[in-house]
Amino acid sequence: MKLSVIGCGYLGAVHAAAMAELGHEVVGVDVDPVKIEQLRAGRAPFFEPGLPEVLASAGASGRLRFTTELADAADAVVHFVAVGTPQSRDGNAADLRYVDAAIDGLLPLLKDGDLVVGKSTVPVGTARRLAERIAAGGSGARLAWNPEFLREGFAVKDTIEPDRLVYGVDDERDAAVLDEVYATAIAAGTPRIVTDFATAELVKVAANAFLATKISFINAMAEIAEATGADVTRLADAIGHDARIGRRFLNAGVGFGGGCLPKDIRAFTARAEELGRGESVAFLKEVDAINLRRRRRVVELAQEALGGAVFGRKVAVLGVTFKPHSDDVRDSPALDVAVQLKGLGADVVVTDPEGIDNARARHPQLLYSNATDEALRHADLVVLVTEWPEYTGLDPAHVKEIARGSTVIDGRNALDAAAWKAAGWRYVGMGRN
Ligand code: NAD
């Protein structure tokens, strides 16, 4: 099939490459000429495991093109909209200007029978509004909403082998078009839920709200553990054995971040308030507050570890991305912690396998080092905030030799506490006492 993908960021670039890999003829469109230049050269504009390989193989097949010209999408029959929906500058609501611009740009190109497929995460009600706009254009094209559940770090696999497909459609015929797009996944038995626009839009934000709640739940338990001497990791192991609860996403630590969870729960709250149902998701404000408190908690622990004398002390911050296996620092708890410590006067040195360029672009005031040992050398305090295997696998005896201090703060409860203690470290976890 001839497909276009409008917006080639973390979602769209992977989607475009994966769809071409699956045999479709794809044109990826983005307004960012630098990104398009890189994609044209077969280079991934961000770090995503497996993306360079699919870009290379799809590129070699001749089925994948990238352009800044939306007009080049005119031949496609299915147009995926994968532009950003960030938090608005003046509040919690999603900023829909990029989605609106993408639809406005597509309108004059649409032909009878074309299907516009929204993949961006949007407030419930957006698809209906956009469908009306497309209908008013008189082209005969229609809209479907097909939320995306990929996880950064596993985006290629998640796109090629999704765990479920959700189609929000007005007309069963549109589901048949999407079945053709996703023929490989459908043939592999991927569950598929065909529903209305509102449900499809809500599925995505409900899933993110649930995951955020699960993380903040265990972080709330960490706060109680800190006040009582309990160990939240043992607690999580114990309640996680209950299949109704499950152990996944139950790791206490510095909390969630990234380009999705924080802004999605805020946008959900804002939309629910517009609908007069603010009370129904008021708990998400608590989820957000617990989450942000954990970042401050790491900073407090660092102050305590330094005996209150933070100014001029060297703090090695291990990890800056919002999670491992990504270069994404959007709303990263790790970056937030580094910035707060710097604000208190610490000489913060941040290291990360993939996130330094993005972090430096946002916070040039921090010191960065690509070499873990350099970041650790003479550090008065070591703070792990992103659980990259490079850091969870560090040899505590080696770190002890090069660092000056002897306290490690494990902001992800990801280190082997016993091994660090055995090497002479004072180990400080989150909610572990
Ligand atoms: P991103 O910022 O990485 O990418 C968005 C891209 O859209 C940018 O490259 C931008 O230049 C481009 N763009 C903006 N306006 C455009 C226009 N009019 N025409 C063409 N391109 C345009 O964002 P992302 O992380 O890829 O997220 C995109 C959407 O997908 C968001 O709604 C997000 O919530 C959702 N989502 C993201 C993920 C994820 O893991 N990143 C997962 C599921 C859903």
Side-chain angles (χ1 to χ4, degrees), residues 55-418:
L55 278 175
S57 96
S61 73
R63 291 191 298 267
L64 181 61
R65 288 182 299 137
F66 289 100
T67 176
T68 52
E69 296 299 324
L70 189 54
D72 293 345
D75 277 353
V77 292
V78 177
H79 306 274
F80 287 99
V81 175
V83 298
T85 50
Q87 184 174 343
S88 53
R89 282 178 197 277
D90 56 354
N92 285 328
D95 181 348
L96 293 177
R97 81 178 82 174
Y98 307 103
V99 171
D100 284 320
I103 298 292
D104 285 346
L106 273 172
L107 280 177
L109 307 177
L110 294 175
K111 315 172 290 298
D112 194 15
D114 280 8
L115 188 63
V116 178
V117 182
K119 287 208 86 60
S120 303
T121 303
V122 291
V124 58
T126 306
R128 177 59 56 212
R129 176 172 68 78
L130 298 177
E132 282 164 9
R133 202 187 305 170
I134 290 170
S139 62
R142 284 195 304 272
L143 179 80
W145 215 266
N146 170 219
E148 177 58 56
F149 303 99
L150 69 81
R151 299 159 300 164
E152 287 176 26
F154 305 92
V156 174
K157 182 178 181 298
D158 287 350
T159 305
I160 292 180
E161 299 166 24
D163 54 10
R164 80 285 214 189
L165 291 162
V166 175
Y167 306 164
V169 292
D170 256 347
D171 188 314
E172 278 289 327
R173 282 174 298 172
D174 302 334
V177 173
L178 286 169
D179 279 351
E180 211 179 321
V181 172
Y182 296 122
T184 309
I186 299 275
T190 307
R192 145 193 181 284
I193 288 140
V194 180
T195 183
D196 52 86
F197 287 160
T199 307
E201 292 167 314
L202 272 175
V203 165
K204 176 64 193 175
V205 286
N208 278 355
F210 189 87
L211 295 172
T213 303
K214 199 169 178 190
I215 297 170
S216 277
F217 173 82
I218 200 65
N219 279 329
M221 295 306 107
E223 292 183 335
I224 304 294
E226 279 158 10
T228 54
D231 183 328
V232 75
T233 60
R234 306 302 293 153
L235 180 149
D237 291 343
I239 65 172
H241 281 300
D242 183 333
R244 294 169 302 175
I245 295 173
R247 184 65 178 80
R248 294 185 70 197
F249 261 62
L250 215 53
N251 294 319
V254 69
F256 58 81
C260 291
L261 253 53
K263 62 111 174 142
D264 286 350
I265 62 169
R266 291 172 198 153
F268 195 7
T269 310
R271 183 63 183 136
E273 283 167 1
E274 278 173 16
L275 293 165
R277 293 289 189 278
E279 272 186 346
S280 306
V281 292
F283 69 93
L284 291 176
K285 291 185 179 172
E286 237 11 90
V287 165
D288 201 2
I290 293 166
N291 191 54
L292 296 176
R293 279 206 297 274
R294 297 321 279 167
R295 301 177 183 191
R296 289 201 296 277
R297 179 67 186 149
V298 173
V299 174
E300 272 168 29
L301 290 170
Q303 286 175 290
E304 278 168 35
L306 293 169
V310 179
F311 192 85
R313 307 288 288 285
K314 179 172 174 182
V315 180
V317 172
L318 304 181
V320 75
T321 52
F322 84 100
K323 66 172 180 180
H325 313 295
S326 172
D327 66 356
D328 197 346
V329 300
R330 290 179 289 182
D331 208 339
S332 165
L335 184 54
D336 202 356
V337 165
V339 168
Q340 288 189 45
L341 287 170
K342 174 76 185 173
L344 291 170
D347 288 340
V348 175
V349 181
V350 175
T351 186
D352 190 281
E354 298 292 341
I356 289 180
D357 290 348
N358 285 339
R360 187 186 279 124
R362 282 165 197 246
H363 290 287
Q365 79 276 24
L366 299 174
L367 286 174
Y368 296 93
S369 172
N370 286 309
T372 310
D373 274 11
E374 192 181 295
L376 289 166
R377 186 157 289 118
H378 307 313
D380 294 298
L381 177 66
V382 177
V383 183
L384 179 138
V385 259
T386 311
E387 69 279 34
W388 284 95
E390 283 86 338
Y391 309 139
T392 56
L394 276 170
D395 172 8
H398 169 69
V399 183
K400 193 85 186 27
E401 273 167 29
I402 58 175
R404 187 158 45 214
S406 56
T407 301
V408 59
I409 296 177
D410 183 1
R412 293 286 181 178
N413 289 342
L415 296 173
D416 180 343

